[in-house]
Amino acid sequence: MTQPVKRPRKAEQRAETMELILDTAEELFARHGLHGVTLKEVAKRVGVHHTLLNYYFADKKALFDAVFARRAVVTSERRMKVLDDYDAATGGKPTIEGALRAFLDTDLDLYIDGDEGWKNYAQLTAQVANTPQWGAELMDTHFDPVVLRLIELLKKALPDCPEERIFWGYQFVTGALMLTLARTGRIDKLSGGLCKSEDFTTAKEHMAPFMAAGLLAICKGHAD
């Protein structure tokens, strides 16, 4: 019987070290941003010499990009599949809320069911989305295809709505999502503890129907 090929121990150690570097950098970047973290700080937290990070990453921005890309591909692929499956299941006749749930809920589920690393990534995504100097390019690279797939479904659900209003609707949708992912704690203070910024489950329950009503309203306004 053929024995399974075992990965050499050194290769395993390198892979484990790389995951630890990315996890540690992700946590630090989520807390302090790109400019509030140094490669030496990451190396110290990991327990390696900073020259090891210089060996794998040309500079701090390269490390940041690697951290961001690692989970971006997961959420993008998951959402794309769910959007495609939903479109097929509805025979190409999606509803506004259904399309938004496929896009929003699939993403929020990662932060509800995932570990603290996913919550760190959520905060990191909110930072990137609100940094026009270089964040827009990262968002374009990793998320444009899945966003445009959502727009396709919304156009099907709102065939008489001017295209620019659908894009404005998406702008408001993503703004609400990014604020939720940031977990600023502001809603906790404003509500006197009635609402929790950590409560992604309740955010998931309310966000899609709220946004669907908003999209319907601006499109109905055009018709009126």
Side-chain angles (χ1 to χ4, degrees), residues 9 12 93 96 125 131 137 145-146 161 177 182 192 195 197 223:
R9 181 59 188 158
E12 289 181 357
K93 295 181 179 179
I96 311 169
T125 301
T131 306
E137 182 180 352
V146 70
C161 186
L177 178 61
C195 305
S197 61

Side-chain angles (χ1 to χ4, degrees), residues 1 3 9 14 50 52 58 73 76 79 81 91 99 110 117 125 130-131 139 151 159 161 170 172 181 193 200 213 224:
M1 180 177 178
Q3 294 296 318
R9 181 59 188 158
R14 281 197 297 271
H50 68 85
L52 180 65
V73 67
S76 291
R79 282 187 286 179
K81 182 179 186 306
L110 288 169
T125 301
N130 287 282
T131 306
M139 297 298 285
I151 296 295
C161 186
Y170 171 74
F172 305 144
L181 297 187
F200 286 144
D224 291 344

Side-chain angles (χ1 to χ4, degrees), residues 121-200:
Y121 179 74
Q123 290 182 297
L124 198 63
T125 301
Q127 288 181 27
V128 170
N130 287 282
T131 306
Q133 292 83 358
W134 48 264
E137 182 180 352
L138 272 181
M139 297 298 285
D140 293 347
T141 298
H142 294 290
F143 297 124
D144 274 9
V146 70
V147 168
L148 292 173
R149 185 70 176 103
L150 169 64
I151 296 295
E152 286 180 18
L153 266 64
L154 291 175
K155 288 179 181 178
K156 291 180 180 180
L158 294 161
D160 298 322
C161 186
E163 188 173 335
E164 67 271 16
R165 297 201 180 198
I166 292 177
F167 278 101
W168 274 117
Y170 171 74
Q171 174 88 339
F172 305 144
V173 167
T174 194
L177 178 61
M178 290 305 117
L179 180 59
T180 300
L181 297 187
R183 295 188 297 161
T184 64
R186 182 161 166 73
I187 193 173
D188 308 54
K189 295 176 183 177
L190 288 170
S191 68
L194 187 62
C195 305
K196 305 287 186 183
S197 61
E198 301 277 345
D199 187 3
F200 286 144

Side-chain angles (χ1 to χ4, degrees), residues 5 27 70 72 77 84 125 141 143 164 201-202 208 212 218:
V5 177
E27 180 183 354
R70 178 176 59 154
E77 289 180 355
D84 286 344
T125 301
T141 298
F143 297 124
E164 67 271 16
T201 300
T202 302
I218 61 175

